[in-house]
C-alpha cells in the first residue's frame, strides 16, 4: 500500500493537518509533486446591511506549517496557482478518506490567481504567511451570496446558511505547483489561512472564510494528492 497513503485532513486531535504544494526532483526516488484541495466556509455570523456595502476585492492568505520541509533549503522562487473546484469533495464528517493517489479533482479555468514567493519558513518565526489577490469575479460571487444571508427565510434563500448548500455553489479550491524546487506545507487550521472578501460601507470591512471547522459543527474536507515519477531514479 506504499502508493495509497491517506492524506485527508480530519479535524481530530493529534492528527497532522497540512496542505502540501510544490515539486522536488529527489535524486533518490524521482520527481515528487504535491497539490492540495480544500473546502472553505464562513467563520462566524456575517455583518449587517451587506446590501448597503460595496464589494472591493478578494484575497487568499496561507500560513506555513513551520514543522515541515522537503526539498531545497535555499530561498529559491516558488510559484503556485489557485483554482476553483468544479467537482464536490466528500463531506468531512463522514471521515471519507482521500489518498495520495486519489484522482485529481476537476477545476475551473482559468486560475483564480497565482503567487511567486521565495520566503522559507523558519522555526524561529511565530507566523509566516503569503497572500495573493484572487479573481475579482470570484469575490463578487461570494459577496452577492453573503448579501442574501441577512434576509433569508429558508435554507434555499442563502448559500451562507448551511455548508451543503454553500458547497454546491462554492465547491472549494485547488492549490497547485507551477514551478519550484521544494514542497511547502500550509496549515489549514491556522487562523491566518483564510479567504478574505474585502468590502466597505462607512469604513473598510471584510468577510472571512477559512478551511477549518464549520462553526464548531463539523469538519471541512481537505486532502493532498501526491505523485512520484520514478523513471529517472534508482527505483525505476
Amino acid at each position: 500500500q506504499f502508493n495509497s497513503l491517506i492524506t485527508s485532513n480530519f479535524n481530530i486531535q493529534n492528527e497532522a493537518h497540512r496542505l502540501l504544494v510544490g515539486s522536488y526532483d529527489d535524486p533518490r526516488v524521482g520527481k515528487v509533486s504535491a497539490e492540495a484541495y480544500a473546502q472553505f466556509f464562513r467563520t462566524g455570523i456575517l455583518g449587517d446591511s451587506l446590501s448597503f456595502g460595496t464589494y472591493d476585492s478578494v484575497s487568499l492568505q496561507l500560513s506555513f506549517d513551520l514543522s515541515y520541509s522537503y526539498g531545497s533549503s535555499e530561498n529559491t522562487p516558488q510559484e503556485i496557482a489557485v483554482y476553483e473546484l468544479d467537482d464536490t469533495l466528500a463531506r468531512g464528517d463522514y471521515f471519507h478518506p482521500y489518498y495520495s493517489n486519489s484522482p485529481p479533482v476537476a477545476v475551473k479555468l482559468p486560475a483564480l490567481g497565482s503567487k511567486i514567493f521565495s520566503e522559507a519558513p523558519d522555526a524561529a518565526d511565530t507566523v509566516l504567511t503569503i497572500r495573493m489577490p484572487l479573481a475579482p469575479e470570484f469575490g463578487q460571487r461570494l459577496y452577492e451570496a453573503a448579501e442574501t444571508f441577512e434576509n433569508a427565510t429558508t435554507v434555499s434563500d442563502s448559500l451562507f446558511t448551511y455548508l451543503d448548500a454553500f458547497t454546491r455553489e462554492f465547491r472549494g479550491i485547488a492549490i497547485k505547483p507551477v514551478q519550484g524546487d521544494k514542497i511547502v506545507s500550509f496549515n489549514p487550521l491556522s487562523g491566518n489561512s483564510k479567504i478574505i472578501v474585502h468590502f466597505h460601507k462607512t469604513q473598510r470591512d471584510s468577510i472571512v472564510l477559512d478551511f477549518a471547522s464549520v462553526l464548531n459543527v463539523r469538519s471541512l474536507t481537505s486532502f493532498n494528492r501526491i505523485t512520484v515519477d520514478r523513471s529517472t531514479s534508482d527505483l525505476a
Side-chain angles (χ1 to χ4, degrees):
Q1 296 298 309
F2 181 79
N3 290 326
S4 56
L5 301 173
I6 292 177
T7 57
S8 303
N9 285 304
F10 295 129
N11 196 9
I12 303 175
Q13 188 177 8
N14 299 324
E15 281 279 317
H17 297 89
R18 291 179 173 136
L19 300 177
L20 300 174
V21 187
S23 61
Y24 175 54
D25 197 354
D26 191 312
R28 296 166 298 178
V29 300
K31 185 171 183 177
V32 185
S33 298
E35 56 192 32
Y37 300 89
Q39 292 176 330
F40 58 88
F41 195 57
R42 62 185 172 90
T43 58
I45 300 300
L46 301 178
D48 296 329
S49 305
L50 290 177
S51 57
F52 293 101
T54 300
Y55 163 73
D56 294 322
S57 62
V58 62
S59 61
L60 170 65
Q61 186 170 292
L62 295 169
S63 177
F64 284 106
D65 168 13
L66 301 179
S67 64
Y68 180 91
S69 177
Y70 179 56
S72 171
S73 60
E74 303 297 323
N75 285 359
T76 48
Q78 314 296 309
E79 184 176 6
I80 61 175
V82 177
Y83 299 84
E84 185 177 4
L85 296 188
D86 201 24
D87 201 359
T88 304
L89 299 177
R91 284 180 55 159
D93 56 344
Y94 288 171
F95 295 98
H96 174 88
Y98 282 97
Y99 296 86
S100 55
N101 63 347
S102 290
V105 182
V107 299
K108 299 179 181 180
L109 298 176
L112 293 175
S114 62
K115 177 75 172 182
I116 298 175
F117 59 94
S118 58
E119 301 95 329
D122 189 301
D125 294 319
T126 54
V127 175
L128 182 58
T129 63
I130 62 171
R131 187 170 176 175
M132 70 179 81
L134 299 180
E137 297 81 3
F138 176 64
Q140 183 73 56
R141 285 170 49 219
L142 283 168
Y143 187 78
E144 289 175 357
E147 278 185 282
T148 66
F149 179 82
E150 56 192 345
N151 298 315
T153 57
T154 67
V155 172
S156 60
D157 286 342
S158 174
L159 298 178
F160 273 71
T161 305
Y162 293 107
L163 178 62
D164 287 339
F166 184 84
T167 54
R168 281 195 290 270
E169 177 65 25
F170 300 100
R171 295 167 174 172
I173 60 170
I175 312 171
K176 300 190 177 191
V178 177
Q179 62 87 23
D181 58 3
K182 61 172 66 74
I183 292 178
V184 299
S185 176
F186 301 109
N187 181 3
L189 297 189
S190 169
N192 290 293
S193 293
K194 54 193 173 183
I195 293 173
I196 310 168
V197 180
H198 308 272
F199 70 95
H200 67 272
K201 290 187 290 185
T202 56
Q203 59 186 9
R204 291 184 60 82
D205 207 338
S206 61
I207 299 167
V208 177
L209 308 102
D210 69 10
F211 309 99
S213 61
V214 180
L215 309 178
N216 298 316
V217 176
R218 76 171 211 249
S219 299
L220 293 170
T221 301
S222 63
F223 81 99
N224 303 292
R225 183 171 183 267
I226 304 169
T227 57
V228 184
D229 179 5
R230 299 191 178 91
S231 62
T232 60
S233 75
D234 292 340
L235 294 178

